[in-house]
Amino acid sequence: DVKVTQSSRYLVKRTGEKVFLECVQDMDHENMFWYRQDPGLGLRLIYFSYDVKMKEKGDIPEGYSVSREKKERFSLILESASTNQTSMYLCASKSGGIYEQYFGPGTRLTVT
Amino acid sequence: AQSVSQHNHHVILSEAASLELGCNYSYGGTVNLFWYVQYPGQHLQLLLKYFSGDPLVKGIKGFEAEFIKSKFSFNLRKPSVQWSDTAEYFCAVSSNNAGNMLTFGGGTRLMVKP
C-alpha cells in the first residue's frame, strides 16, 4: 500500500511566522502535490513537482513556496503566514501517467 | 481551463435510501474521471475511476458511476446507503492536455441518518 505521511495533523502558528509542512511518500512516485482544502471550494492545487528539484505552480501559489530535495519528500513553505492561510493542507503523490493520486492525512493549519 | 461542478453541497439521507451525486465538468477533450471520498477524520481515498472502456464503472463499497460523454457528466450512485457512508465526496477530472493535473469539484457532504 502506498503511504503518504505528513509531519503534523494540527498546527497553530502566529501571523508572520515561517511555516514548514513536510510530506513523505514511500512508493518512489515521481509526482508530488500540495493542495489546500476549504469548505465549498474542494481541493485547490498550490504547487506540484514532477521530479527532484523541479516544481510548477498550481492554481493558487501566491504566498507559498516548495522544496523537493529528495524524491520521497516534498515540503510546503509559508514564508510569512497570514490568517487567510488558515486551512487544511493535503499532500499527494502519484506515478507518471494518468494514475490516481494518493493522499496524506492532511495538516490543519490555524494562523492566529 | 477545465472546471468541475458538484451541484449538491449537502445531502441528507436515511439508511437504505438510494444515492445519486451529480458531477459535471467543462473540458471537451479526452478526460480521466475520479470520485474520492473523505470519511470523518480520515484521509482522502479513491472510490472509483474511469479512464476508458465501459462507461459504467464500479468502485469500492457498492458505489458506481456512469460517464455520459454527451452530458459531460460522471454521476456517483449507490442503490442503498448505510450510516457508514457518511462522508464528503469529491469528483475530480484530469486531461492529457492539462498535464494530467486533477481539478476537483467543491465536494458534497453526505450525512446518512441511522
Side-chain angles (χ1 to χ4, degrees):
Chain A
D1 266 358
V2 176
K3 192 151 188 185
V4 181
T5 56
Q6 295 183 230
S7 49
S8 307
R9 291 301 300 271
Y10 300 94
L11 211 52
V12 180
K13 295 291 182 181
R14 292 191 183 277
T15 302
E17 279 193 82
K18 191 168 185 175
V19 181
F20 293 88
L21 303 182
E22 303 283 334
C23 174
V24 177
Q25 51 95 2
D26 67 356
M27 282 302 292
D28 203 36
H29 284 167
E30 295 87 353
N31 302 284
M32 297 187 74
F33 308 82
W34 276 107
Y35 295 89
R36 63 177 281 175
Q37 181 183 3
D38 299 290
L41 297 178
L43 279 72
R44 291 178 293 164
L45 182 64
I46 304 171
Y47 267 97
F48 67 96
S49 168
Y50 53 89
D51 202 350
V52 175
K53 297 192 186 294
M54 308 303 289
K55 61 185 179 185
E56 294 285 344
K57 292 179 181 179
D59 299 319
I60 51 164
E62 296 78 20
Y64 303 94
S65 62
V66 290
S67 171
R68 193 166 180 202
E69 297 296 318
K70 294 184 177 181
K71 192 174 185 180
E72 68 271 18
R73 188 179 297 269
F74 191 35
S75 302
L76 179 70
I77 304 153
L78 287 66
E79 296 289 342
S80 177
S82 64
T83 54
N84 63 13
Q85 292 178 310
T86 291
S87 186
M88 171 72 88
Y89 290 88
L90 298 180
C91 175
S93 73
K94 80 174 187 77
S95 295
I98 57 171
Y99 301 102
E100 65 266 27
Q101 294 184 18
Y102 294 86
F103 285 83
T107 296
R108 186 167 293 283
L109 172 67
T110 302
V111 182
T112 60
Chain B
Q2 57 196 24
S3 65
V4 181
S5 297
Q6 292 181 242
H7 312 296
N8 312 101
H9 298 297
H10 292 91
V11 174
I12 302 174
L13 294 173
S14 298
E15 274 194 317
S18 64
L19 170 72
E20 181 159 3
L21 301 182
C23 173
N24 287 90
Y25 61 92
S26 65
Y27 185 66
T30 301
V31 292
N32 310 298
L33 301 156
F34 306 82
W35 275 97
Y36 281 86
V37 61
Q38 189 173 37
Y39 297 103
Q42 295 189 27
H43 63 274
L44 211 63
Q45 55 188 286
L46 184 70
L47 204 52
L48 49 79
K49 61 191 177 189
Y50 172 80
F51 292 159
S52 64
D54 188 344
L56 184 63
V57 292
K58 296 193 183 298
I60 60 172
K61 305 188 180 186
F63 285 91
E64 65 178 31
E66 185 175 12
F67 171 48
I68 304 179
K69 190 174 181 179
S70 61
K71 294 185 177 181
F72 299 92
S73 70
F74 190 56
N75 292 355
L76 181 71
R77 298 194 293 250
K78 186 171 183 178
S80 175
V81 295
Q82 301 172 308
W83 176 78
S84 58
D85 294 323
T86 293
E88 190 159 17
Y89 294 80
F90 294 93
C91 181
V93 176
S94 72
S95 67
N96 296 343
N97 284 8
N100 288 314
M101 293 298 107
L102 279 180
T103 300
F104 283 84
T108 297
R109 200 174 288 272
L110 171 66
M111 179 185 296
V112 180
K113 298 186 293 185

